[in-house]
Amino acid sequence: MSNTIEKIKCLIIGSGPAGYTAAIYAARANMNPVLYQGMQPGGQLTTTNEVENFPGYVDGVTGPEMMIQLQEQAKRFGADIRDGWATKVDFSGDIHKVWINDSIELHCETVIISTGASAKYLGLPSEQHYLNMGGGVSACAVCDGFFYRNQDVVIVGAGDSACEEAHYLSKLCKKVTMLVRSEKFRASKIMEERVRKTENIEILMNHDTVEVLGDNNVVHAIKALNKTSGETIEIPATGFFVAIGHKPNTDIFKDYITLDETGYIVNTPGTSKTNVGGVFVAGDAADHVYRQAITAAGTGCMAALDAERYLASK
């Protein structure tokens, strides 16, 4: 461990739309923010090929390009953007202690957590290949469904979010095939009934995804296994949506910050405040409902303003 302790007025843990927006606002408020980008600089949007629903980008923008622009904007106002990730925290006292890469110790007056959440994937090599290629695998129907208008797609999942995304896709796509990996839905009855009553959604119960098929660049079909009969089928599709949940990146905070049963940070409604004074949250680390770039950016603004007010009150 380092013997040198750095004192920081406003530390931002994590990047993405939430972290960078918090950095922009905090820097403009002369809070001298330091932002550590985390293990995935730029967050989940760096895996998104095209972003067409963020206001102001008339012709759309790639996820990585947008994150570079937000980072540069934060730097322009004096934010200190650094590589590295938080590996340990101690929020038990008046000074908020954070360790970076298990070696750098920081003592912070305020902390903004913007560590986000990671989409869960099936882990198939073919799934990961086409996800990285940007050629037909997605974990966000609202983000990417537009690109599959009037096409056939497959979605895997059984919860409320999967049903919501399947229903959303049904309004854009010609046909939606929903693969449910067990014999029953995990979703609420009302959500299950909604997808069952939608004409262009076909539900295949007790089916596992075996492989994502394509020409090495784009997806052409999904190979699925009927676990009841043992038969494998190929479902023609240009898009494969994975809706089996997200895992918030909040494990290192659990001893100090109140989390819900799935690990999302619980904030005071209408604010970015956590149960620890001087510690705030922005973005998907607390949002299991919307999970959009624009909402993450909005909460980044809220967190910086709340942190500024907290410092002023002291």
Side-chain angles (χ1 to χ4, degrees):
M1 301 292 285
S2 170
N3 292 324
T4 305
I5 296 173
E6 184 178 1
K7 294 183 179 180
I8 292 174
K9 183 181 287 188
C10 178
L11 174 69
I12 301 168
I13 305 174
S15 45
Y20 289 139
T21 302
I24 291 167
Y25 274 79
R28 286 171 58 85
N30 295 322
M31 293 164 65
N32 305 317
V34 173
L35 181 150
Y36 278 93
Q37 296 185 87
M39 298 185 73
Q40 188 178 17
Q44 288 187 81
L45 268 190
T46 57
T47 65
T48 302
N49 239 23
E50 294 291 333
V51 179
E52 294 196 329
N53 55 4
F54 198 96
Y57 290 95
V58 178
D59 299 315
V61 63
T62 68
E65 184 182 0
M66 180 195 279
M67 291 308 97
I68 290 170
Q69 291 177 1
L70 283 177
Q71 178 180 319
E72 291 304 311
Q73 188 175 359
K75 284 182 176 179
R76 176 187 161 210
F77 295 115
D80 186 349
I81 311 292
R82 302 178 182 178
D83 294 328
W85 57 90
T87 49
K88 177 184 171 185
V89 302
D90 181 354
F91 296 156
S92 60
D94 292 335
I95 299 296
H96 306 113
K97 299 176 182 178
V98 178
W99 284 264
I100 303 296
N101 299 350
D102 288 321
S103 59
I104 303 168
E105 183 175 349
L106 310 175
H107 286 188
C108 315
E109 294 182 55
T110 60
V111 175
I112 295 174
I113 299 169
S114 57
T115 48
S118 300
K120 295 178 182 177
Y121 290 96
L122 300 173
L124 300 171
S126 56
E127 168 201 57
Q128 294 301 303
H129 170 77
Y130 288 104
L131 175 68
N132 294 329
M133 290 290 293
V137 174
S138 170
C140 181
V142 176
C143 309
D144 299 327
F146 178 83
F147 302 110
Y148 300 91
R149 290 179 72 89
N150 302 316
Q151 300 176 45
D152 292 349
V153 299
V154 172
I155 182 168
V156 58
D160 278 349
S161 293
C163 289
E164 284 182 15
E165 298 222 324
H167 190 255
Y168 177 86
L169 289 168
S170 73
K171 294 182 284 186
L172 298 170
C173 303
K174 188 164 62 176
K175 181 182 178 182
V176 178
T177 302
M178 191 172 188
L179 300 180
V180 177
R181 295 180 290 173
S182 64
E183 294 178 348
K184 60 181 181 179
F185 279 86
R186 289 185 293 104
S188 59
K189 284 296 180 185
I190 190 169
M191 291 304 300
E192 179 181 348
E193 283 302 309
R194 182 179 295 176
V195 294
R196 287 193 181 279
K197 290 179 178 177
T198 304
E199 288 186 3
N200 63 335
I201 297 179
E202 181 182 2
I203 301 167
L204 299 180
M205 306 298 293
N206 219 26
H207 277 68
D208 275 343
T209 305
V210 176
E211 188 178 1
V212 179
L213 305 173
D215 64 1
N216 211 40
N217 291 312
V218 294
V219 172
H220 289 166
I222 305 301
K223 182 186 287 188
L225 169 69
N226 183 328
K227 294 194 288 184
T228 304
S229 67
E231 177 190 7
T232 58
I233 58 173
E234 289 188 11
I235 307 165
T238 53
F240 181 60
F241 290 85
V242 185
I244 58 174
H246 287 73
K247 184 184 186 305
N249 304 317
T250 57
D251 286 352
I252 65 168
F253 308 112
K254 63 185 178 184
D255 291 337
Y256 307 97
I257 300 294
T258 301
L259 309 178
D260 70 10
E261 65 277 3
T262 52
Y264 287 92
I265 291 174
V266 177
N267 56 294
T268 302
T271 78
S272 66
K273 298 174 183 176
T274 70
N275 61 296
V276 176
V279 179
F280 308 90
V281 62
D284 288 9
D287 178 11
H288 56 85
V289 178
Y290 300 105
R291 295 196 298 264
Q292 299 298 302
I294 188 65
T295 50
T299 57
C301 163
M302 291 168 62
L305 294 176
D306 285 342
E308 181 186 6
R309 289 165 185 161
Y310 173 84
L311 290 172
S313 71
K314 294 178 68 177

